[in-house]
Amino acid sequence: MGDLWLGSLTIFLTIMGSQGQLKTGFYSSSCPNAEATVRSTVQSYFNKDPTIAPALLRLHFHDCFVQGCDGSVLIAGSSAERNALPNTGLRGFEVIEDAKSQLEAKCPGVVSCADILALAARDAVDLSDGPSWSVATGRRDGRVSLSSQASNLPSPLDPISVQRKKFSDKGLDDHDLVTLVGAHTIGQTECRFFSYRLYNFTTTGNSDPTIDQDFLGQLKALCPNKGDGLKRVSLDIDSPTKFDVSFFKNVRDGNAILESDQRLWGDPATQSIVQNYAGNIRGLLGLRFNYEFPKAMVKLSSVEVKTGTQGEIRKVCSKVNLY
């Protein structure tokens, strides 16, 4: 018990320490328009395609889970993170590069790609009718990006025990897990990542019994057996571009698309958190989720950050600087 407590304390102190090194308004004197530039860039892409919002949120999430929030997912290369199997379908890189090139013209070598990504994720939620929050900045960019290190990313196939372990390894608890998965309220996936639930869940041709029967028919219409596996489907069919609590109602009602999401209802601890978001007056109005999601994002955005003299400030987000 003592070792467990000390381990938890170490993770807590690591998170607190990294948050302490980041600060709100980090660029207020060195690049005063940094946050406004990121915001206007995200807004311009969002106006053309609202599905860029969940893409940017996912990009930040996947960055933080590998080597911390250091922009390493943005680096291009055959053996880089972004080419790992769990990162299939990541997009939005051009938004970050666009904001970076504008900032390099205004304040060369000042604003990190990791910070641009953290700010863009916040702006993406805000533009989707979700909450906004202050993003502490001061992250530095990592110089290492290896696809082999992306194996600890959460997977749609993960049971709750594995999801819990992957999140706790980053200092995130059950509450953070459920809250952050709530980002799927504006997310998308491809048929190939869940069609096994519809047609061959137990390798005997059955469907996943936790799927509501009416919803099963809808999903089969969207993703026919042996159809286009790359077809994109919204993870919250009720309000796909609105950041709200209908995702949690779907989980409660057996209408979650990914197996990992539906499993949140099968575990007593995570079920009670889902119920809190979906079930009562504060939950139904979205007040609780809008309050808790920013807190979870601040925690996520502080995972294993590089600050001070660690890492570098990349000139171009897709490649490390040459010295």
Side-chain angles (χ1 to χ4, degrees):
M1 179 68 187
D3 288 345
L4 183 64
W5 186 85
L6 284 172
S8 301
L9 180 63
T10 303
I11 289 172
F12 176 76
L13 290 175
T14 301
I15 289 172
M16 290 301 106
S18 62
Q19 280 181 325
Q21 291 162 344
L22 301 177
K23 67 175 191 177
T24 306
F26 182 84
Y27 299 110
S28 56
S29 56
S30 59
C31 193
N33 293 322
E35 295 200 22
T37 300
V38 175
R39 169 74 184 209
S40 65
T41 305
V42 174
Q43 174 99 55
S44 67
Y45 283 87
F46 179 85
N47 288 346
K48 291 183 286 234
D49 175 18
T51 69
I52 199 66
L56 291 169
L57 193 50
R58 183 173 182 235
L59 205 51
H60 179 50
F61 183 92
H62 281 232
D63 181 37
C64 293
F65 255 78
V66 185
Q67 300 230 21
C69 312
D70 67 347
S72 54
V73 76
L74 303 170
I75 295 174
S78 57
S79 61
E81 270 173 52
R82 64 200 265 181
N83 284 325
L85 190 62
N87 284 329
T88 301
L90 281 184
R91 60 193 188 96
F93 297 99
E94 72 284 1
V95 183
I96 307 303
E97 289 288 6
D98 189 342
K100 176 63 174 173
S101 63
Q102 293 177 56
L103 289 169
E104 281 299 299
K106 295 174 184 175
C107 327
V110 173
V111 184
S112 70
C113 299
D115 275 344
I116 293 171
L117 191 45
L119 291 165
R122 184 269 311 272
D123 295 336
V125 173
D126 185 32
L127 288 166
S128 304
D129 293 331
S132 188
W133 59 93
S134 295
V135 174
T137 42
R139 294 167 192 77
R140 306 262 296 175
D141 295 323
R143 291 180 52 81
V144 176
S145 182
L146 296 169
S147 58
S148 58
Q149 296 183 342
S151 58
N152 66 334
L153 278 163
S155 157
L157 306 176
D158 287 343
I160 287 295
S161 58
V162 175
Q163 293 185 60
R164 186 173 274 134
K165 173 77 166 64
K166 288 179 176 179
F167 275 74
S168 68
D169 284 348
K170 300 298 175 189
L172 302 166
D173 60 22
D174 277 4
H175 195 270
D176 300 316
L177 161 61
V178 176
T179 305
L180 290 168
V181 169
H184 286 169
T185 177
I186 55 168
Q188 290 184 312
T189 191
E190 294 168 357
C191 290
R192 59 181 168 155
F193 293 122
F194 66 91
S195 59
Y196 70 93
R197 297 185 70 207
L198 314 182
Y199 304 106
N200 201 25
F201 186 64
T202 55
T203 67
T204 54
N206 297 332
S207 56
D208 184 341
T210 62
I211 304 176
D212 174 81
Q213 283 303 299
D214 290 339
F215 190 56
L216 179 63
Q218 285 184 54
L219 291 182
K220 285 184 171 181
L222 286 169
C223 299
N225 196 10
K226 298 183 172 59
D228 179 7
L230 298 179
K231 182 181 178 184
R232 299 184 74 81
V233 176
S234 296
L235 291 169
D236 176 2
I237 286 178
D238 297 330
S239 53
T241 59
K242 187 174 170 58
F243 200 91
D244 57 20
V245 292
S246 71
F247 168 78
F248 294 109
K249 297 173 191 172
N250 290 339
V251 171
R252 178 194 64 194
D253 298 339
N255 292 344
I257 288 178
L258 297 180
E259 182 183 355
S260 55
D261 291 351
Q262 192 57 59
R263 297 297 164 259
L264 296 175
W265 191 250
D267 178 271
T270 52
Q271 182 185 104
S272 68
I273 302 164
V274 171
Q275 183 61 37
N276 273 339
Y277 286 137
N280 54 35
I281 295 299
R282 279 175 60 80
L284 289 172
L285 292 174
L287 300 176
R288 180 176 275 114
F289 184 46
N290 279 353
Y291 175 71
E292 297 293 345
F293 188 78
K295 293 201 300 183
M297 281 298 291
V298 167
K299 206 168 162 185
L300 170 71
S301 299
S302 305
V303 168
E304 297 163 19
V305 293
K306 294 167 178 65
T307 57
T309 56
Q310 299 170 313
E312 64 182 12
I313 304 297
R314 266 184 247 139
K315 295 182 179 71
V316 177
C317 291
S318 60
K319 57 187 180 186
V320 297
N321 295 342
L322 298 174
Y323 291 100

